[in-house]
Amino acid sequence: MKIWKQLPYGWKVVSAFVFFFSTTLCFAYFKGRDTNPGVPIEILATTPTEANSWKGHPKVVYFWATWCTICKAYAPLLEANLKFLPKSTIFLSVLEAEDSEETKDIMTKLTPDAKHPIYAADYRMLKEWRISAYPTTVFLNEEGQVVFSDTGILSPIGFWLRSFLLRFF
């Protein structure tokens, strides 16, 4: 405790920052280890060719819902976070398949050449992937195994760190 009091304020801030990110990373890792879906993410693909193109690549899967106000507020930050993704990492946006006008409107406005296509997941799929709250971001390694799973808003640093660490798992 004596050492802590003697540390300059800047070092205390850096230590708190490192502790916070290490803790959240550990929580995300252990939550990810607890997620072992029986349904592969490739089931969302619209064609077999698309599903095959996903194999062998790390993936970031973002689960959200139209009624989720946090998801709507997070959208600009998520768009900024996607700039940190390595080129080989695939981003999948997965929308809860609910029977609402907003969902139907979103799905009909999609074009095949959209920058980030949106896929719809039914209740069974969401249950398999242990999605209990929105938004949930799941990071998969090249073999399709869940490495990190986070619920809520991810900071750009946290998003980049998880994306970077995928190559080591």
Side-chain angles (χ1 to χ4, degrees), residues 134-165:
Y134 296 105
T136 296
T137 309
V138 179
F139 295 81
L140 307 169
N141 64 12
E142 292 173 350
E143 288 84 37
Q145 299 166 327
V146 177
V147 178
F148 301 109
S149 180
D150 288 281
T151 300
I153 296 174
L154 276 174
S155 70
I157 294 171
F159 191 89
W160 176 83
L161 187 60
R162 286 158 178 78
S163 303
F164 175 77
L165 291 174

Side-chain angles (χ1 to χ4, degrees), residues 25-43:
L25 192 64
C26 286
F27 284 140
Y29 177 75
F30 287 116
K31 185 178 178 190
R33 302 310 304 157
D34 195 36
T35 305
N36 191 14
V39 178
I41 200 66
E42 285 80 14
I43 201 166

Side-chain angles (χ1 to χ4, degrees), residues 62-89:
Y62 176 67
F63 292 93
W64 61 288
T66 57
W67 49 262
C68 171
T69 55
I70 304 287
C71 301
K72 291 175 184 176
Y74 180 49
L77 185 59
L78 176 65
E79 198 62 37
N81 284 346
L82 293 179
K83 294 176 184 169
F84 294 113
L85 278 181
K87 298 279 184 215
S88 65
T89 304

Side-chain angles (χ1 to χ4, degrees), residues 56-149:
H57 292 279
K59 293 169 255 332
V60 176
V61 186
Y62 176 67
F63 292 93
W64 61 288
T66 57
W67 49 262
C68 171
T69 55
I70 304 287
C71 301
K72 291 175 184 176
Y74 180 49
L77 185 59
L78 176 65
E79 198 62 37
N81 284 346
L82 293 179
K83 294 176 184 169
F84 294 113
L85 278 181
K87 298 279 184 215
S88 65
T89 304
I90 296 171
F91 176 77
L92 304 171
S93 178
V94 181
L95 178 62
E96 178 186 61
E98 56 184 316
D99 191 26
S100 73
E101 289 303 315
E102 191 175 2
T103 302
K104 290 175 188 171
D105 189 43
I106 289 171
M107 295 309 278
T108 55
K109 286 182 179 177
L110 284 177
T111 60
D113 58 338
K115 185 177 179 184
H116 302 295
I118 299 173
Y119 302 92
D122 61 5
Y123 174 75
R124 181 182 56 83
M125 172 108 181
L126 296 172
K127 187 176 178 185
E128 277 287 329
W129 280 80
R130 298 183 60 135
I131 307 302
S132 58
Y134 296 105
T136 296
T137 309
V138 179
F139 295 81
L140 307 169
N141 64 12
E142 292 173 350
E143 288 84 37
Q145 299 166 327
V146 177
V147 178
F148 301 109
S149 180

Side-chain angles (χ1 to χ4, degrees), residues 12-26:
K12 290 178 184 178
V13 171
V14 169
S15 299
F17 186 74
V18 168
F19 176 75
F20 172 75
F21 275 102
S22 299
T23 303
T24 59
L25 192 64
C26 286

